[in-house]
Amino acid sequence: MGLKNLQLKFKAIRLLVGDSKSKKRQWRTTQKPSWMVPVSHGYHVIEARSFCDGGFEEEDSDTVVVQREQIEDTEVWFFGVSDNRIGDGITKYLQSNFFDRKPSQSQMMRKSKEAMKKAYIGAKAKVRETEKGEEEEEAWKVGSASAMVMNGEKLVLANMGEYRAVVCKDGVAHQIGKKHRRTAQFTWSRKLISGGFLMPKVGMLACNGIGGDDSQPPKSSAVLVATERIDSDTEFIILASTGIWEVMKNQEAVNLIRHIEGAQEAAECLAKEALTRVSRSNISCLVIHFDQITIS
């Protein structure tokens, strides 16, 4: 089992709390035990509202999840922002079908991407099952963005709908899916057919890396999953809802908060800027800093 998590509830937000203190960024020069990997985070959620007849009405807020697992010598951080229909469904799947099985470090590095895919598909299918009465298109309009950080070395990113995961690498915004979308979609479809099983009406794009700015995801709720190595250029990640991205581009968001040292302050800045720009959708964001330090 991983470390016991402290669960806090604030409105409709579910948060599994880890360390959120910020440290000065420098690149690591020596190997460190996994529990010393300096990852910090901050989040901010604006109370959910919907724009109707010229005014705003309250809605259920998004779910924010931060979870840390220590499995032998492997430290895993899971971060997620999801709409209220997905809730903590992705986290529960990963806990039961991945973390609680205590995979070895090599298994975790190898199978983390596949576990993330399955978690998204399962959560999405559950929404469809519980909302059978709705029109099919509406039942699939769900959003989520997640990041899994393993030993401060490997990054697994996923998003669907109009929620988005953006990585800042040396000041440049990168979003999953741009470079590998077409090829990856063909490869995954071929694997489904050759493997003898089919999951109808589940859009999924399994990518090997992340692309540049303004890589717009499909308007459907297709699932995008990517893996990336964390290196000296990797500064921070933004996981955010539709309310952020409908009023600013990826690079705008990165430029806005790059100079801010604390992850919590950065998340608040991003959310409040979206509110200032009169975003009409749910506003929630989670910022993950890789606070790279030199150990003498």
Side-chain angles (χ1 to χ4, degrees), residues 4-286:
K4 187 175 181 181
N5 296 298
L6 174 65
Q7 300 186 29
L8 301 178
K9 291 186 178 180
F10 178 70
K11 294 183 180 176
I13 305 166
R14 178 175 180 271
L15 178 65
L16 295 162
V17 182
D19 180 21
S20 61
K21 293 182 179 178
S22 178
K23 306 176 185 68
K24 189 175 181 179
R25 289 181 48 84
Q26 297 176 29
W27 181 239
R28 302 190 302 271
T29 58
T30 59
Q31 185 67 32
K32 305 184 304 301
S34 62
W35 56 86
M36 293 180 65
V37 172
V39 176
S40 65
H41 68 273
Y43 76 97
H44 196 72
V45 177
I46 303 294
E47 186 173 351
R49 310 151 305 148
S50 63
F51 190 81
C52 182
D53 296 329
F56 287 104
E57 296 181 354
E58 289 189 9
E59 291 184 342
D60 290 335
S61 297
D62 285 352
T63 297
V64 174
V65 177
V66 178
Q67 180 168 337
R68 179 185 180 275
E69 295 285 336
Q70 185 75 43
I71 303 174
E72 296 183 351
D73 291 333
T74 305
E75 179 192 59
V76 183
W77 283 93
F78 176 78
F79 303 91
V81 175
S82 302
D83 66 26
N84 64 84
R85 296 158 80 191
I86 291 291
D88 59 359
I90 293 168
T91 315
K92 286 182 176 178
Y93 179 94
L94 288 171
Q95 188 67 55
S96 300
N97 297 279
F98 193 56
F99 299 135
D100 285 350
R101 294 185 179 183
K102 299 180 181 179
S104 65
Q105 182 170 325
S106 62
Q107 288 175 326
M108 186 168 289
M109 294 292 184
R110 210 170 53 245
K111 297 182 178 181
S112 54
K113 180 179 176 181
E114 186 66 24
M116 186 79 88
K117 292 177 192 174
K118 290 180 177 179
Y120 266 72
I121 291 174
K124 190 172 169 183
K126 189 173 181 179
V127 171
R128 190 185 185 198
E129 180 67 24
T130 57
E131 299 182 1
K132 285 183 176 179
E134 294 190 15
E135 292 186 11
E136 186 174 338
E137 184 179 354
E138 289 299 319
W140 281 102
K141 284 184 179 179
V142 290
S144 184
S146 305
M148 193 185 302
V149 180
M150 287 165 283
N151 278 353
E153 299 171 357
K154 181 180 178 180
L155 181 62
V156 180
L157 294 171
N159 59 232
M160 68 178 170
E162 295 181 2
Y163 284 51
R164 196 179 301 176
V166 172
V167 181
C168 174
K169 296 177 74 71
D170 196 24
V172 179
H174 296 267
Q175 182 188 342
I176 60 176
K178 183 176 182 180
K179 295 182 179 179
H180 304 279
R181 181 175 294 137
R182 188 173 300 172
T183 302
Q185 187 172 19
F186 170 76
T187 302
W188 178 242
S189 300
R190 184 175 61 188
K191 285 182 179 179
L192 283 174
I193 296 169
S194 63
F197 65 97
L198 182 62
M199 296 180 183
K201 300 177 182 177
V202 173
M204 178 151 58
L205 307 176
C207 307
N208 293 322
I210 54 178
D213 189 31
D214 296 330
S215 168
Q216 296 297 329
K219 289 298 182 182
S220 67
S221 55
V223 177
L224 295 168
V225 184
T227 58
E228 192 79 9
R229 284 199 64 82
I230 298 169
D231 57 26
S232 58
D233 289 336
T234 310
E235 299 180 26
F236 59 86
I237 302 168
I238 300 172
L239 305 178
S241 65
T242 311
I244 299 291
W245 307 120
E246 73 180 14
V247 293
M248 65 184 84
K249 295 183 178 180
N250 297 344
Q251 192 62 48
E252 279 186 278
V254 164
N255 293 345
L256 180 67
I257 65 171
R258 192 184 179 213
H259 68 285
I260 300 175
E261 185 174 331
Q264 180 60 41
E265 184 183 352
E268 291 176 5
C269 176
L270 198 58
K272 290 175 182 178
E273 177 63 21
L275 189 62
T276 300
R277 298 187 184 194
V278 198
S279 174
R280 297 188 176 187
S281 301
N282 281 9
I283 300 173
S284 57
C285 63
L286 199 160

